[in-house]
Amino acid sequence: MSEYLTLRRPDDWHLHLRDGEMLTAVAPASARLGRAIIMPNLVPPVVTGAEAEAYRGRIRAALPDGATLRPLMTLYLTETTDPADVVAAHSAGIIAAVKLYPAGATTNSASGVRDFDRVRPVLEAMAEAGIPLCLHGEVTDPQVDIFDREAVFIDRVLDPVRRATPGLRVVLEHVTTSDGVDYVRANEGIGATITTHHLVINRNAILAGGIRPHYYCLPVAKRESHRLALVEAATSGDPRFFSGTDSAPHPDSAKESACGCAGCFTAPNWLPIVAQVFQDEGALDRLEGFVSLNGPAFYGMPPNEDRITLRRRDRAAAFPTHITAGGETVTVFDPGFPLHWHVEDDA
Ligand code: DOR
Ligand code: ZN
């Protein structure tokens, strides 16, 4: 028996494509998206409009023929970012948003923000020009327990920044807690991306029965009650929540290490996983909102015009367990359940 679901072509509102050999290896897995917000945490980071434009060129060159993906670039906010460069890059159509990493919060975030007052002029210019701010919402204070870092960030940083800069549109990226969901619901002008992996794993996946580095990401997955809050938000139809996979490839050697780095590589199978989550919630009629409609609405863009079809088959879809990039392997996220939704995209 099979069942079909036609959706406007999905976008990904939070994606890491990396650079060099890794970009070449992972770009095909994202080629059939409509658009993707491309994260700027390269080494060195993408800080200026000119760097974003050059990076966009490298992404376009890495995409296979027939790719539908239009990369939406972001700038990596530093304490010395020039507000005029941000506004000019936005007016020239080079960037869609600016990403704020608290310094030290995650992979390649050393050039991020320590003193939030120092970026106030940039945030004010962004509010004025209507440029959204994408926030990695975790404090880096070593005194704060890693499982509490998102909730503390909301009180210490997110709320004060929003109050100090009225009119700034903010995306709380990869929200992982019910605290984050509640904050988004209670306030105006803020949305949140929800990743694929945070919809399906809780912290047991990382730690119970052995350390499983391929489930380690940042913000780290929380307890089950938080996962349930994310599933509820994603499947509720509330337009402030939309899909941003945070697909973040790393070589296995960097993950399977005494100090493994953060990131789940979900680009190859994210849509069948999300479709299964929505089916399990009896919410397949809201899947299109989460993956194709809510994101563009938040960013003030039209939804994609073309469509893709998902087909549910008795036979599970087969995905590779890993891909290779520059002689290294990169493990594909394993959701732990079979994927019966197949993407039939012959547009
Ligand atoms: O798990 C993560 N990986 N979280 C991030 O914020 C960054 C990302 C990466 O770039 O690897
Ligand atoms: Zn990310």
Side-chain angles (χ1 to χ4, degrees):
M1 209 198 77
S2 56
E3 196 182 327
Y4 292 88
L5 204 55
T6 297
L7 309 176
R8 283 181 187 259
R9 184 176 297 283
D11 303 306
D12 185 345
W13 299 91
H14 185 133
L15 178 64
H16 296 268
L17 287 179
R18 314 300 194 202
D19 211 348
E21 287 179 326
M22 186 64 92
L23 168 62
T24 306
V26 303
S30 296
R32 301 302 292 169
L33 289 165
R35 293 157 288 200
I37 285 277
I38 308 298
M39 287 295 132
N41 62 334
L42 306 182
V43 190
V46 179
V47 171
T48 65
E51 288 162 1
E53 192 173 20
Y55 182 32
R56 185 174 65 183
R58 298 197 295 281
I59 294 170
R60 287 177 176 160
L63 288 168
D65 288 347
T68 46
L69 175 66
R70 282 176 289 141
L72 303 177
M73 308 310 290
T74 60
L75 295 183
Y76 185 118
L77 183 59
T78 73
E79 293 183 3
T80 55
T81 292
D82 174 8
D85 181 60
V86 172
V87 172
H90 185 255
S91 340
I94 298 167
I95 63 155
V98 171
K99 177 70 186 268
L100 191 161
Y101 290 99
T106 186
T107 313
N108 305 335
S109 62
S111 324
V113 175
R114 279 180 182 78
D115 178 353
F116 290 86
D117 285 337
R118 297 194 62 182
V119 295
R120 176 91 37 94
V122 184
L123 300 184
E124 274 162 15
M126 287 167 58
E128 174 84 28
I131 307 171
L133 177 70
C134 299
L135 263 182
H136 183 108
E138 289 189 288
V139 290
T140 53
D141 180 349
Q143 302 298 319
V144 178
D145 188 278
I146 187 157
F147 292 104
D148 297 333
R149 287 183 180 189
E150 182 172 291
V152 173
F153 181 89
I154 293 168
D155 292 341
R156 283 195 198 165
V157 182
L158 174 56
D159 199 55
V161 164
R162 291 187 58 256
R163 284 175 197 280
T165 321
L168 181 66
R169 289 180 73 69
V170 173
V171 184
L172 180 58
E173 296 290 334
H174 40 53
V175 62
T176 59
T177 58
S178 58
D179 311 71
V181 167
D182 292 346
Y183 185 84
V184 168
R185 285 204 164 120
N187 289 280
E188 295 278 311
I190 178 161
T193 50
I194 301 180
T195 78
T196 308
H197 46 285
H198 289 116
L199 289 174
V200 299
I201 60 162
N202 62 32
R203 61 197 195 177
N204 283 3
I206 313 164
L207 294 169
I211 291 184
R212 292 177 215 281
H214 296 292
Y215 292 130
Y216 174 63
C217 65
L218 287 171
V220 70
K222 310 296 190 298
R223 62 171 64 244
E224 178 65 0
S225 56
H226 292 293
R227 187 189 72 84
L228 293 174
L230 302 179
V231 170
E232 196 281 321
T235 59
S236 66
D238 186 329
R240 290 170 293 190
F241 298 99
F242 41 95
S243 174
T245 63
D246 199 14
S247 175
H250 291 279
D252 286 342
S253 57
K255 300 263 321 156
E256 298 169 6
S257 147
C259 184
C261 55
C264 297
F265 179 48
T266 51
N269 56 3
W270 74 279
L271 188 52
I273 298 173
V274 174
Q276 187 62 53
V277 170
F278 274 66
Q279 175 170 26
D280 292 345
E281 293 304 302
L284 280 174
D285 57 327
R286 295 176 182 162
L287 178 63
E288 185 180 43
F290 184 65
V291 301
S292 311
L293 302 177
N294 301 348
F298 186 89
Y299 275 86
M301 298 175 188
N304 297 313
E305 278 303 329
D306 59 339
R307 265 87 175 162
I308 63 158
T309 299
L310 296 181
R311 180 177 179 187
R312 189 178 163 83
R313 295 172 182 259
D314 292 336
R315 169 176 64 76
F319 288 94
T321 56
H322 63 270
I323 64 161
T324 49
E328 296 241 40
T329 57
V330 179
T331 294
V332 176
F333 180 77
D334 175 4
F337 48 80
L339 297 173
H340 289 283
W341 287 98
H342 298 240
V343 181
E344 303 205 330
D345 175 19
D346 46 18

